[in-house]
Amino acid sequence: MCGIVGYIGKKPIVPLLLNGLQTLEYRGYDSAGIAWLGPENDLCMFKKEGKLSNLRSHVDALHFHNDDAVEYRGIAHTRWATHGSPTDENAHPHTSADGNIVLIHNGIIENYTELRDELKAKGYSFKSSTDTETIVLLLEDILKTETNFLKALQRLTSRLVGAYALGIMDKRQMGKLYGVRNFAPLVLGVGDGEMFLASDSVAIVEHTNEVVFLKDGQIVELTATGYHIEDFAGKQVITDSETIAASQMILDKKGFRHFMLKEIYDQPDVIRRLLSEHLKGDTDPVSILDKPALALFKNPKRIVIVGCGSSLNAGLVGKYFMEAVARIDVNVESAGEYRYRDTLVDEDTIIIAISQSGETADTLTAIRQCKEKGAKVVTVTNRVDSTMARESDAVVNVHAGLEVSVCATKSFVAQVVVLYLLGLQVAEDRGTLKANELENLKHQLKQLPTQIETMLANTDTVHTVAKKYGSKENMLFIGRSMNYPTAMEGALKLKEVSYIHAEGYSASELKHGPIAMLDQDMPIVAVLTPGPLYEKMISSCQEAKARDAQVIAIHAGPVQQEAADTFDDIITVPTTHEWLSPVVAVVPMQFLAYYIAEHLGKDVDQPRNLAKSVTVE
Ligand code: F6R
């Protein structure tokens, strides 16, 4: 969602802040802004709607250069609109009426209407339609009766309801920069005679990998040489910095046209990495969980998987698999729904939180609530430095590498493979699978990278299918069993990047409503892999065909002659174990979405309205 970068030090401030924003660009935004203060304390501030390049070319035209060896401080922001459309006026930073305070904000202030009315009644006027402007004007108002800036920030936080990470400068607080965190990520970077502030360490890791992850309810005061943290009650918090790995953060398309395409091609290596780390030979035990984490799965009353979007779809594959191999009852819940339910979670519950970013607001809140009720939380994430990872009892790294395209591809596949490994390890521990079944699954898991590579080597058919159906306005994706979630994932991919309306269903649901939609303008993508429900899938396809729908089969192995007439197009995928088939079946769906989006000229890596990390509700 929104991005924050802040700096205090002697480096050229404008390129530093803009380059920081550029590293956050992939996460999705609709406008950007920058502000800095130099030795004369003159505020330079620029805001532009649209791409960061708009802001960059505007600022570049000024030919601004720092005075050598002089300290500057500045803040910059990419905005993903929540209140007010993406215009220059609504872009951050926002300033106080007296021009002293400059502020950027990630998150949502839920009581902003009430605060706005209160401030208006006091004579303040608003230049934007954002919730953020209420924060800066409220702070200005508080500072009329509170001269201590940290105390003023504490009073400010006591009035704000919602999620927020703030970056603040005040002309009167010379040489200082402030950060505030409440349910939105904020990290500070420690340099040599310079300090950084960011909503994600990605934005600052080029300069320092010594960081402090602020906790909710904390305020930081930065100078070029140090930091001072207090909680919202004014109590000092002593926190040492930690060192994070810098290597994951490199943004490189490696010659591919888009990150999404590169990330689809990364998938065999992602799976190989996971398997080489956690599954040596076919008869060796799986080691995805360490001993204490594995012990949690010995006899839980219930397991609940929570996640959103693609992570939720991965969770559903995990549920089917874990139930099948480990014989444990597993529920899967959309985190945004779960957090508002009066759930039966207790100390005998294991929560498996799945999140690529580890920062998704709904999933994070769900796990916090479950922890409060005594549950143990295992987080499966691509970001072991994330808030979710830091707040969990155990963390499993999916090791997918930085996923830059907003549309999740390799992280989905990595999550599914992690859930396979987790299921197998728990099955091994509980003795719920026969040795030969275990060995067979492990053996077939190991074939997946090479099988995916054969698909990556020849994408002609899926390319042709994409061209043929790319101008349709609707598409239906169907599957059964473990490929029901795959169908939902295929539909989600298509929606996200091509904006074509698509829905994923269990084929069993077709007759309960969606079949009414079928005609020559509603193609169906059907996943057919070997297993007890294969014939049922064929019947569903025939029923669709009888309603004039064109049927695109994603089919494992060769198609029998009698079934072939049912399909208008066939995309062949390698044959694997029924339970592992989602990993191969999803790949052509990712390509289908990618090629259609590219064909339609869409912004593949940064689809409209979407953000990579959804840090607000
Ligand atoms: C889909 C997609 C989103 C995310 C969802 C959860 O391509 O990217 O649906 O899967 O926002 O995000 P994480 O996994 O970061 O919690």
Side-chain angles (χ1 to χ4, degrees), residues 307-313 354-361 363 380-381 388 403 405-409 411 415 489 492-493 496 610-614:
C308 301
S310 289
S311 297
L312 180 63
N313 292 337
I354 307 185
S355 176
Q356 188 284 128
S357 63
E359 300 291 352
T360 299
T363 315
V380 173
T381 183
M388 269 186 235
E403 190 174 64
S405 181
V406 164
C407 180
T409 52
S411 64
Q415 288 165 348
E489 179 63 7
L492 183 61
K493 297 302 90 173
E496 281 184 281
L610 291 181
K612 185 72 185 156
S613 172
V614 184

Side-chain angles (χ1 to χ4, degrees), residues 200-214:
D200 188 320
S201 54
V202 171
I204 54 174
V205 79
E206 181 193 343
H207 304 283
T208 179
N209 56 358
E210 281 300 308
V211 298
V212 177
F213 292 98
L214 285 189

Side-chain angles (χ1 to χ4, degrees), residues 9 28 42 60 81 92 128 139 171 198 205 249 252 319 338 578:
D42 289 338
D60 281 353
H92 304 199
S128 77
L139 181 58
K171 282 189 181 179
V205 79
M249 310 292 188
D252 181 1
K319 166 195 163 74
Y338 200 61
E578 181 205 352

Side-chain angles (χ1 to χ4, degrees), residues 182-303:
N182 198 45
F183 300 115
L186 199 62
V187 58
L188 62 100
V190 182
D192 186 9
E194 56 183 0
M195 295 291 287
F196 305 81
L197 194 65
S199 50
D200 188 320
S201 54
V202 171
I204 54 174
V205 79
E206 181 193 343
H207 304 283
T208 179
N209 56 358
E210 281 300 308
V211 298
V212 177
F213 292 98
L214 285 189
K215 293 203 169 74
D216 289 331
Q218 292 185 342
I219 297 171
V220 64
E221 181 181 74
L222 298 174
T223 61
T225 51
Y227 61 93
H228 169 85
I229 301 175
E230 288 185 7
D231 65 17
F232 285 0
K235 192 164 162 260
Q236 188 178 355
V237 180
I238 308 290
T239 315
D240 289 335
S241 61
E242 55 186 283
T243 308
I244 52 163
S247 57
Q248 268 208 333
M249 310 292 188
I250 298 156
L251 303 185
D252 181 1
K253 281 194 199 137
K254 300 231 166 93
F256 287 94
R257 206 166 136 75
H258 294 102
F259 278 108
M260 180 174 173
L261 193 58
K262 172 199 167 272
E263 286 158 6
I264 293 172
Y265 276 87
D266 281 345
Q267 294 179 124
D269 284 344
V270 168
I271 304 175
R272 258 189 208 110
R273 197 180 310 143
L274 278 171
L275 296 181
S276 71
E277 200 173 325
H278 301 295
L279 175 59
K280 305 288 180 231
D282 294 355
T283 52
D284 288 331
V286 181
S287 61
I288 193 88
L289 298 172
D290 60 18
K291 268 199 178 145
L294 183 61
L296 301 175
F297 288 85
K298 199 75 190 169
N299 221 356
K301 201 194 289 177
R302 65 178 69 78
I303 295 180

Side-chain angles (χ1 to χ4, degrees), residues 437-455:
E437 288 170 332
L438 257 173
E439 203 175 308
N440 178 31
L441 277 165
K442 288 178 183 175
H443 178 73
Q444 300 221 33
L445 253 179
K446 291 191 153 181
Q447 312 311 310
L448 290 176
T450 319
Q451 290 182 317
I452 295 178
E453 270 159 359
T454 61
M455 290 190 278

